[in-house]
Amino acid sequence: MSAEVSFDELLADDGRVEPRDPMPEDYRRSLVRQIAQHAHSEIIGMQPEGNWISRAPSLRRKAILMAKVQDEAGHGLYLYAAAETLGVDREDLLDQLHTGRQKYSSIFNYPTLTWADVGAIGWLVDGAAIVNQVPLCRCSYGPYARAMIRVCKEESFHQRQGFEILHTLAHGTPAQKAMAQDAVDRYWWPALMMFGPPDADSPHSAQSMAWGIKRFSNDELRQRFIDMTVPQAEALGLTLPDPELRWNAERGHYDSGPIDFTELFEVIQGNGPCNAQRMGHRVRAHEDGAWVREAASAYAAKQAARAAGEVA
Amino acid sequence: MSTRDWPLWEVFVRSRRGLSHVHVGSLHAPDAEMALRNARDVYTRRQEGVSLWVVPSAEIVASEAGQREEFFDPAADKIYRHPTFYEIPEGVEHL
């Protein structure tokens, strides 16, 4: 090869872009936006489930839920670290989250009203997240792809534990089964909206596909999720709240009813049931934790000074 | 020192004895001890490792991405360093 491999050649060859490679500014900015939003979603996503840690129905469920919420924190950290390889500072990204200049996934603006919601989140929300994230393991930006590989490995436990919660409830008393059905009824449509607007209304999609950041369109991934999930719902003995849901042998896919995307846009605009609560809690947690960060800094400074004194 | 000034550390995990440490990611921490503890919590929650290294990112000396060509070129025309370069008569084994 006579010349340095260019960005375009790298993409055409399905190669991976690494942090110090030359890359178009738009590509860099688009990745920062996406990875930061993804990281924010992971840490905001700790809240709806964290809400049930103290009320988990058994010690087993409680230990599992704590491990899951810790994983979400870990996923946030992998992703902030991946974003930082693009030359941004985690503190700045957090500032932008706290001041509303960067977003997180709308799904976390829905409340967890019952224990069954923890099951529905694991099964449907993490299930949808996996469908979204698996193709990101082949994303053109190396650090993001590597972070997603770790995340996907861990998400699989999240989805299974959610399924197990719902399976247990669905095979319990009539009241428990009703609780499971109610959770699925409330989370089904928001889970479908996690794939974003329909392809025709998705402004960034085409560019993201051209850059190898996105590998499949919103509607393709949504269809994949529906096809996977319908048989799982049957195994649970629960129904999905869409009267138009039926197998289409000709297409080889399930047909489904229209999605009310005005709801999605309302939630994105800040009018979901829990937007203010999630942000308020996030900012408060960050401020309340300041003393821990200050103590760690003070300790490190003292130890460094002591070490310097010993040398002198 | 605010958290903004916390140095970045690169984290390497040896997954089991007999294998090398492999880079798994990075994190911010005020000192080496905290970096090690946080690396354990962030990168080995499922027993992914038997040994951890944390290295200040600033201490890593890297080859220049922009000079990849001239830096690695000297090895490009020495294909005789590979066993497949040599012609061996048919039927000769264990070579």
Side-chain angles (χ1 to χ4, degrees):
Chain A
M1 267 176 289
S2 57
E4 181 66 29
V5 180
S6 77
F7 176 79
D8 292 332
E9 284 170 315
L10 206 58
L11 288 193
D13 201 28
D14 200 24
R16 295 291 177 268
V17 180
E18 293 296 343
R20 287 146 55 92
D21 290 342
M23 61 184 91
E25 181 52 25
D26 285 348
Y27 174 84
R28 196 191 70 83
R29 203 173 324 134
S30 178
L31 271 172
V32 169
R33 185 179 57 85
Q34 178 169 341
I35 300 174
Q37 183 170 327
H38 199 158
H40 299 331
S41 302
E42 297 285 354
I43 62 166
I44 296 284
M46 297 165 75
Q47 292 185 39
E49 293 175 292
N51 181 34
W52 279 91
I53 290 176
S54 63
R55 292 174 288 164
S58 69
L59 188 55
R60 176 179 182 270
R61 296 286 183 206
K62 185 172 183 163
I64 291 170
L65 187 55
M66 282 197 291
K68 179 177 191 297
V69 172
Q70 284 174 333
D71 272 356
E72 307 299 358
H75 296 176
L77 288 170
Y78 305 154
L79 287 161
Y80 284 120
E84 287 198 312
T85 64
L86 291 159
V88 292
D89 198 297
R90 186 175 72 192
E91 292 288 309
D92 291 328
L93 298 179
L94 286 174
D95 278 349
Q96 294 189 52
L97 170 65
H98 296 161
T99 52
R101 283 171 294 157
Q102 281 179 343
K103 307 250 181 237
Y104 56 89
S105 176
S106 290
I107 192 74
F108 302 116
N109 289 318
Y110 291 88
T112 40
L113 303 176
T114 69
W115 169 251
D117 288 10
V118 175
I121 288 180
W123 177 46
L124 295 175
V125 174
D126 289 305
I130 290 172
V131 170
N132 257 331
Q133 289 169 346
V134 165
L136 286 173
C137 296
R138 294 190 293 116
C139 158
S140 62
Y141 188 58
Y144 191 26
R146 292 191 285 275
M148 291 323 302
I149 290 171
R150 298 185 65 86
V151 168
C152 284
K153 275 187 192 161
E154 300 181 354
E155 289 285 359
S156 161
F157 130 61
H158 298 180
Q159 193 189 15
R160 280 170 169 240
Q161 65 87 37
F163 186 89
E164 193 196 70
I165 288 173
L166 290 179
H167 192 266
T168 305
L169 290 173
H171 293 79
T173 65
Q176 287 172 327
K177 181 166 184 178
M179 189 201 279
Q181 184 62 59
D182 170 63
V184 170
D185 288 347
R186 280 182 290 109
Y187 271 94
W188 173 248
W189 294 107
L192 293 186
M193 293 178 208
M194 287 173 67
F195 296 95
D199 295 345
D201 307 327
S202 182
H204 302 296
S205 276
Q207 181 61 77
S208 278
M209 302 262 269
W211 277 331
I213 297 173
K214 209 173 156 72
R215 300 285 182 179
F216 300 96
S217 78
N218 294 353
D219 289 333
E220 280 176 295
L221 293 170
R222 191 168 10 244
Q223 181 71 60
R224 186 177 298 175
F225 174 70
I226 293 171
D227 291 347
M228 275 171 40
T229 308
V230 174
Q232 293 172 359
E234 286 165 7
L236 286 173
L238 298 174
T239 58
L240 297 171
D242 179 358
E244 294 179 44
L245 203 58
R246 62 179 56 86
W247 178 250
N248 182 331
E250 209 168 293
R251 290 202 311 130
H253 292 292
Y254 283 91
D255 288 338
S256 52
I259 298 172
D260 177 14
F261 280 104
T262 52
E263 177 181 323
L264 176 67
F265 295 121
E266 275 297 302
V267 181
I268 291 174
Q269 291 308 314
N271 304 321
C274 300
N275 295 57
Q277 182 188 338
R278 299 290 183 241
M279 282 306 293
H281 184 92
R282 173 67 214 138
V283 171
R284 200 163 53 247
H286 190 69
E287 288 170 355
D288 289 351
W291 71 270
V292 179
R293 297 188 292 275
E294 285 161 15
S297 294
Y299 180 78
K302 189 176 84 179
Q303 293 299 111
R306 194 171 286 172
E310 278 167 16
V311 171
Chain B
M1 182 161 69
S2 81
T3 54
R4 194 179 292 273
D5 307 317
W6 283 4
L8 190 66
W9 304 75
E10 299 300 325
V11 181
F12 299 79
V13 175
R14 184 202 291 284
S15 56
R16 57 187 167 84
R17 302 182 67 83
L19 297 178
S20 340
H21 287 76
V22 173
H23 182 246
V24 291
S26 54
L27 51 77
H28 289 278
D31 58 30
E33 192 186 340
M34 285 297 289
L36 213 44
R37 284 175 179 274
N38 291 347
R40 177 199 60 188
D41 292 344
V42 177
Y43 292 104
T44 64
R45 285 195 302 285
R46 288 175 176 75
Q47 296 185 292
E48 288 95 336
V50 294
S51 166
L52 264 178
W53 287 348
V54 290
V55 180
S57 308
E59 295 294 321
I60 290 180
V61 181
S63 60
E64 285 294 328
Q67 292 170 0
R68 187 166 48 199
E69 289 269 305
E70 56 264 47
F71 194 74
F72 292 106
D73 248 5
D77 60 355
K78 297 177 182 60
I79 52 172
Y80 43 82
R81 284 175 171 164
H82 297 278
T84 48
F85 175 77
Y86 299 92
E87 277 185 38
I88 303 297
E90 199 133 324
V92 177
E93 290 180 347
H94 308 301
L95 193 67

